[in-house]
Amino acid sequence: MMKLYRASALLTSLLLFSGILVVVFLFYQDILYRDHYSQNSYHQYLNQKFQLLTEFKKSLSELNNECHKQQRENIIEKSGDVKYQYSCILKSIFIQPKPTKDKYIQVDNILDWLDLERYQSSLHYASSLDELPNSSESEPQIVIMTNDIDERLNQDFYGIIITDHYFDIKGKKIYGVLYSSYDNFREERNLSYKSSVVNTIEEQFSYWQYLPYSRNLLAND
């Protein structure tokens, strides 16, 4: 009986020991699997991040083009689960706030009010009203007057007039805004503010630009 008891105890111990080994082995395998999964996930994350950073080696010109194309304040790029964001800003011809009701604006230096240097090729210069370009509400123009004006306007003009000289008109009307460094302030019935003209000018003479140093990596949701 003593030998049978010892054999039974030994068998029980062996079974228990084997069970412990199985549990340890399974636990160790689970740890290895979790570690392998974690390393794979991190490796995948690094690959995606590297791919995204590689894609974002864009030139300033490319970033500006993308901003101008999408015309949004924030643009998000995505590679797998990794997201990257950069910002854009609208650069309007109106340096000062866009006119909302004023048909006449007194200025000291027009370049403090309008970004004309960028749009030199689109500006018109005129020494008399007869030299004003054709215009319409949907196609307004920007004109710089080079002489004193005291004339009759034979057809309506839509857009912005800029002058450093005396300016007085009769006849038809100007729809838009007069910017003047000369004291032309007076009640002018032939000059009328028109918001649609100002808004169209801003649409035609503005652009979206990449905001420097705005790129950043976004956290995963």
Side-chain angles (χ1 to χ4, degrees):
M1 290 295 293
M2 182 62 69
K3 290 182 178 180
L4 181 61
Y5 174 76
R6 288 179 177 175
S8 177
L10 179 60
L11 180 61
T12 301
S13 297
L14 289 174
L15 291 174
L16 181 61
F17 182 69
S18 298
I20 293 174
L21 287 178
V22 170
V23 171
V24 171
F25 178 74
L26 291 176
F27 180 72
Y28 182 68
Q29 268 200 329
D30 183 65
I31 292 177
L32 289 178
Y33 173 78
R34 290 176 181 273
D35 183 63
H36 180 70
Y37 178 79
S38 176
Q39 288 185 8
N40 279 346
S41 297
Y42 186 66
H43 182 68
Q44 183 180 8
Y45 170 80
L46 290 179
N47 282 340
Q48 292 173 348
K49 183 176 180 181
F50 177 76
Q51 179 182 351
L52 190 62
L53 291 176
T54 301
E55 291 174 356
F56 261 79
K57 287 183 178 179
K58 296 180 179 179
S59 66
L60 180 61
S61 176
E62 289 174 319
L63 291 170
N64 285 332
N65 288 338
E66 194 64 29
C67 285
H68 189 68
K69 176 182 176 182
Q70 297 202 31
Q71 297 187 0
R72 293 187 297 164
E73 291 186 355
N74 294 302
I75 295 177
I76 296 177
E77 300 284 345
K78 187 174 182 181
S79 175
D81 296 327
V82 181
K83 291 187 294 186
Y84 211 94
Q85 175 180 279
Y86 57 96
S87 299
C88 307
I89 185 172
L90 177 63
K91 303 289 287 186
S92 171
I93 189 173
F94 295 101
I95 298 174
Q96 299 291 339
K98 177 178 62 177
T100 57
K101 60 180 180 179
D102 294 326
K103 60 184 180 180
Y104 173 82
I105 297 178
Q106 185 77 36
V107 301
D108 291 324
N109 185 352
I110 189 59
L111 296 181
D112 293 333
W113 291 79
L114 298 176
D115 181 13
L116 299 181
E117 294 182 353
R118 183 179 179 87
Y119 302 103
Q120 280 295 324
S121 61
S122 300
L123 303 179
H124 299 273
Y125 291 82
S127 59
S128 69
L129 296 181
D130 290 338
E131 296 178 2
L132 291 178
N134 292 329
S135 62
S136 66
E137 188 171 349
S138 59
E139 294 185 4
Q141 305 293 334
I142 301 176
V143 178
I144 298 177
M145 306 304 301
T146 59
N147 285 333
D148 289 349
I149 298 296
D150 188 1
E151 304 175 23
R152 175 172 293 275
L153 184 62
N154 295 320
Q155 63 179 6
D156 292 335
F157 174 82
Y158 297 83
I160 288 176
I161 296 290
I162 301 168
T163 185
D164 295 323
H165 308 276
Y166 178 79
F167 188 86
D168 190 22
I169 64 172
K170 305 173 184 65
K172 298 293 184 177
K173 298 184 68 172
I174 291 176
Y175 294 95
V177 182
L178 172 65
Y179 286 88
S180 177
S181 62
Y182 188 93
D183 186 8
N184 285 304
F185 182 74
R186 58 189 173 278
E187 186 60 34
E188 182 59 76
R189 295 182 179 180
N190 296 82
L191 179 62
S192 178
Y193 171 82
K194 199 169 187 65
S195 61
S196 60
V197 169
V198 174
N199 292 336
T200 300
I201 285 177
E202 184 173 46
E203 290 174 6
Q204 293 177 347
F205 299 94
S206 64
Y207 61 98
W208 285 85
Q209 178 178 290
Y210 164 68
L211 187 63
Y213 310 110
S214 64
R215 287 180 286 185
N216 60 88
L217 193 64
L218 298 178
N220 291 330
D221 295 332

